[in-house]
Coordinates of all heavy atoms in Angstrom, one line a residue:
Q968 N 39.0 -194.3 4.9 CA 40.0 -193.5 4.3 C 41.2 -194.3 4.1 O 41.8 -194.8 5.1 CB 40.4 -192.3 5.1 CG 41.3 -191.3 4.4 CD 41.4 -190.0 5.1 OE1 41.0 -189.8 6.3 NE2 41.9 -189.0 4.4
A969 N 41.6 -194.6 2.9 CA 42.8 -195.3 2.5 C 44.0 -194.4 2.5 O 43.8 -193.2 2.3 CB 42.6 -196.0 1.2
P970 N 45.2 -194.9 2.6 CA 46.4 -194.0 2.6 C 46.4 -193.2 1.3 O 46.3 -193.8 0.2 CB 47.6 -195.0 2.7 CG 47.0 -196.2 3.4 CD 45.5 -196.3 2.9
G971 N 46.7 -191.9 1.4 CA 46.8 -191.1 0.3 C 45.5 -190.7 -0.4 O 45.5 -190.1 -1.5
Q972 N 44.4 -191.2 0.1 CA 43.1 -190.9 -0.5 C 42.1 -190.1 0.4 O 42.4 -190.1 1.6 CB 42.4 -192.2 -0.9 CG 43.2 -193.0 -1.9 CD 42.4 -194.2 -2.4 OE1 41.2 -194.3 -2.3 NE2 43.2 -195.2 -2.9
E973 N 41.2 -189.5 -0.1 CA 40.2 -188.8 0.7 C 39.2 -189.8 1.4 O 39.0 -190.9 0.9 CB 39.4 -187.8 -0.2 CG 40.3 -186.7 -0.8 CD 39.4 -185.7 -1.5 OE1 38.2 -185.8 -1.6 OE2 40.0 -184.6 -1.9
R974 N 38.6 -189.3 2.4 CA 37.6 -190.0 3.1 C 36.4 -190.3 2.2 O 35.9 -189.3 1.6 CB 37.2 -189.3 4.4 CG 36.4 -190.2 5.4 CD 36.2 -189.4 6.7 NE 37.5 -189.2 7.4 CZ 37.6 -188.8 8.6 NH1 36.5 -188.5 9.3 NH2 38.8 -188.6 9.1
E975 N 35.9 -191.5 2.2 CA 34.8 -191.8 1.3 C 33.7 -192.5 2.1 O 33.9 -193.2 3.1 CB 35.2 -192.7 0.2 CG 35.7 -194.1 0.5 CD 35.9 -195.0 -0.7 OE1 35.6 -194.6 -1.8 OE2 36.3 -196.2 -0.4
F976 N 32.5 -192.3 1.6 CA 31.3 -192.8 2.2 C 31.3 -194.3 2.0 O 31.6 -194.8 0.9 CB 30.0 -192.2 1.6 CG 28.7 -192.9 1.9 CD1 28.2 -192.7 3.2 CD2 28.1 -193.7 1.0 CE1 26.9 -193.3 3.5 CE2 26.9 -194.4 1.3 CZ 26.3 -194.2 2.5
V977 N 30.8 -195.1 3.0 CA 30.7 -196.6 2.9 C 29.2 -197.0 3.0 O 28.7 -197.6 2.1 CB 31.5 -197.3 3.9 CG1 31.3 -198.8 3.9 CG2 33.0 -196.9 3.8
A978 N 28.6 -196.5 4.1 CA 27.2 -197.0 4.4 C 26.6 -196.1 5.4 O 27.3 -195.4 6.2 CB 27.2 -198.4 4.9
A979 N 25.3 -196.0 5.4 CA 24.6 -195.2 6.4 C 23.2 -195.9 6.8 O 22.7 -196.7 6.0 CB 24.3 -193.8 5.9
I980 N 22.7 -195.6 7.9 CA 21.5 -196.2 8.4 C 20.7 -195.1 9.1 O 21.2 -194.3 9.9 CB 21.7 -197.4 9.3 CG1 20.4 -198.1 9.6 CG2 22.5 -197.0 10.5 CD1 20.6 -199.5 10.2
A981 N 19.4 -195.1 8.8 CA 18.5 -194.1 9.4 C 18.3 -194.4 10.8 O 18.5 -195.5 11.3 CB 17.2 -194.0 8.6
W982 N 17.7 -193.4 11.6 CA 17.5 -193.6 13.0 C 16.7 -194.8 13.4 O 17.0 -195.5 14.4 CB 16.9 -192.3 13.6 CG 15.5 -192.1 13.1 CD1 15.1 -191.4 12.0 CD2 14.3 -192.6 13.7 NE1 13.7 -191.4 11.9 CE2 13.2 -192.1 12.9 CE3 14.0 -193.3 14.9 CZ2 11.9 -192.4 13.2 CZ3 12.7 -193.6 15.2 CH2 11.6 -193.2 14.3
S983 N 15.8 -195.1 12.6 CA 14.9 -196.3 12.8 C 15.4 -197.6 12.4 O 14.9 -198.6 12.7 CB 13.5 -196.0 12.2 OG 13.7 -196.0 10.7
G984 N 16.5 -197.5 11.6 CA 17.0 -198.7 11.0 C 16.2 -199.1 9.7 O 16.6 -200.1 9.0
G985 N 15.2 -198.4 9.4 CA 14.4 -198.8 8.2 C 15.0 -198.5 6.9 O 14.5 -199.0 5.9
F986 N 15.9 -197.6 6.8 CA 16.5 -197.2 5.5 C 18.1 -197.4 5.7 O 18.6 -197.0 6.7 CB 16.2 -195.8 5.2 CG 14.7 -195.6 4.9 CD1 13.9 -195.1 5.9 CD2 14.2 -195.9 3.6 CE1 12.5 -194.9 5.6 CE2 12.9 -195.6 3.4 CZ 12.0 -195.2 4.3
T987 N 18.6 -198.0 4.7 CA 20.1 -198.2 4.6 C 20.6 -197.7 3.3 O 19.8 -197.7 2.3 CB 20.5 -199.6 4.9 OG1 19.9 -200.5 3.9 CG2 20.1 -200.1 6.3
Y988 N 21.8 -197.3 3.3 CA 22.4 -196.7 2.1 C 23.9 -197.3 1.9 O 24.5 -197.4 3.0 CB 22.5 -195.2 2.1 CG 21.2 -194.6 2.6 CD1 20.8 -194.5 3.9 CD2 20.3 -194.1 1.6 CE1 19.6 -193.9 4.3 CE2 19.1 -193.5 2.0 CZ 18.7 -193.4 3.3 OH 17.5 -192.9 3.7
Y989 N 24.3 -197.6 0.7 CA 25.6 -198.1 0.5 C 26.3 -197.5 -0.6 O 25.7 -197.1 -1.6 CB 25.5 -199.6 0.3 CG 25.0 -200.4 1.4 CD1 23.6 -200.7 1.5 CD2 25.7 -200.8 2.5 CE1 23.1 -201.4 2.5 CE2 25.2 -201.5 3.5 CZ 23.9 -201.8 3.6 OH 23.4 -202.5 4.7
A990 N 27.6 -197.4 -0.5 CA 28.4 -197.1 -1.7 C 28.4 -198.2 -2.7 O 28.3 -199.4 -2.3 CB 29.9 -196.8 -1.3
D991 N 28.5 -197.9 -4.0 CA 28.4 -199.0 -5.0 C 29.5 -200.0 -4.8 O 29.3 -201.2 -5.1 CB 28.5 -198.4 -6.4 CG 27.2 -197.6 -6.8 OD1 26.2 -197.8 -6.1 OD2 27.3 -196.8 -7.7
S992 N 30.6 -199.6 -4.3 CA 31.8 -200.5 -4.2 C 31.6 -201.5 -3.1 O 32.3 -202.5 -3.1 CB 33.0 -199.6 -3.9 OG 32.9 -198.9 -2.7
V993 N 30.6 -201.3 -2.2 CA 30.5 -202.3 -1.1 C 29.1 -203.0 -1.1 O 28.8 -203.9 -0.4 CB 30.7 -201.7 0.3 CG1 32.0 -200.9 0.3 CG2 29.6 -200.7 0.6
K994 N 28.3 -202.5 -2.0 CA 26.9 -203.0 -2.1 C 26.9 -204.5 -2.3 O 27.6 -205.0 -3.2 CB 26.1 -202.3 -3.1 CG 24.6 -202.4 -3.0 CD 23.9 -201.5 -4.1 CE 24.2 -200.0 -3.8 NZ 23.5 -199.1 -4.7
G995 N 26.2 -205.3 -1.5 CA 26.1 -206.7 -1.7 C 27.2 -207.5 -0.9 O 27.1 -208.7 -0.7
R996 N 28.1 -206.7 -0.3 CA 29.2 -207.3 0.5 C 29.1 -206.9 1.9 O 29.4 -207.6 2.9 CB 30.6 -207.0 -0.1 CG 30.8 -207.6 -1.5 CD 32.2 -207.4 -1.9 NE 32.6 -206.0 -2.0 CZ 33.6 -205.5 -1.3 NH1 34.3 -206.3 -0.4 NH2 33.9 -204.2 -1.3
F997 N 28.8 -205.6 2.1 CA 28.7 -205.0 3.5 C 27.3 -204.8 3.9 O 26.4 -204.5 3.1 CB 29.4 -203.6 3.5 CG 30.9 -203.7 3.3 CD1 31.6 -204.8 2.9 CD2 31.6 -202.5 3.6 CE1 32.9 -204.8 2.8 CE2 33.0 -202.5 3.4 CZ 33.7 -203.6 3.0
T998 N 27.0 -204.9 5.2 CA 25.7 -204.7 5.8 C 25.8 -203.8 7.0 O 26.6 -204.2 7.9 CB 25.0 -206.0 6.2 OG1 24.9 -206.9 5.0 CG2 23.6 -205.8 6.7
I999 N 25.1 -202.8 7.0 CA 25.0 -201.9 8.2 C 23.7 -202.2 9.0 O 22.7 -202.4 8.4 CB 25.1 -200.4 7.8 CG1 25.2 -199.5 9.0 CG2 23.9 -200.0 6.9 CD1 25.5 -198.0 8.7
S1000 N 23.9 -202.2 10.3 CA 22.7 -202.4 11.1 C 22.9 -201.6 12.5 O 24.0 -201.1 12.7 CB 22.5 -203.9 11.4 OG 23.7 -204.5 12.1
R1001 N 21.9 -201.6 13.2 CA 22.0 -200.9 14.5 C 21.1 -201.6 15.6 O 20.1 -202.2 15.3 CB 21.6 -199.4 14.4 CG 20.1 -199.2 14.0 CD 19.9 -197.7 13.7 NE 20.2 -196.8 14.8 CZ 20.4 -195.5 14.6 NH1 20.4 -195.0 13.4 NH2 20.6 -194.7 15.6

């Protein structure tokens, strides 16, 4: 959540770690892991 903006999704990861999801704005730059 940036100042003055709504909270937005960045990334998510399934319980097994086998599936990951990214917002278009961070795809290729951010990596989620567990």
Side-chain angles (χ1 to χ4, degrees):
Q968 188 167 17
Q972 298 186 23
E973 294 189 353
R974 191 171 298 189
E975 66 172 357
F976 170 77
V977 175
I980 187 167
W982 65 271
S983 65
F986 294 96
T987 56
Y988 311 84
Y989 297 94
D991 288 343
S992 59
V993 306
K994 200 172 296 182
R996 299 187 298 121
F997 291 11
T998 302
I999 188 171
S1000 61
R1001 67 189 296 160

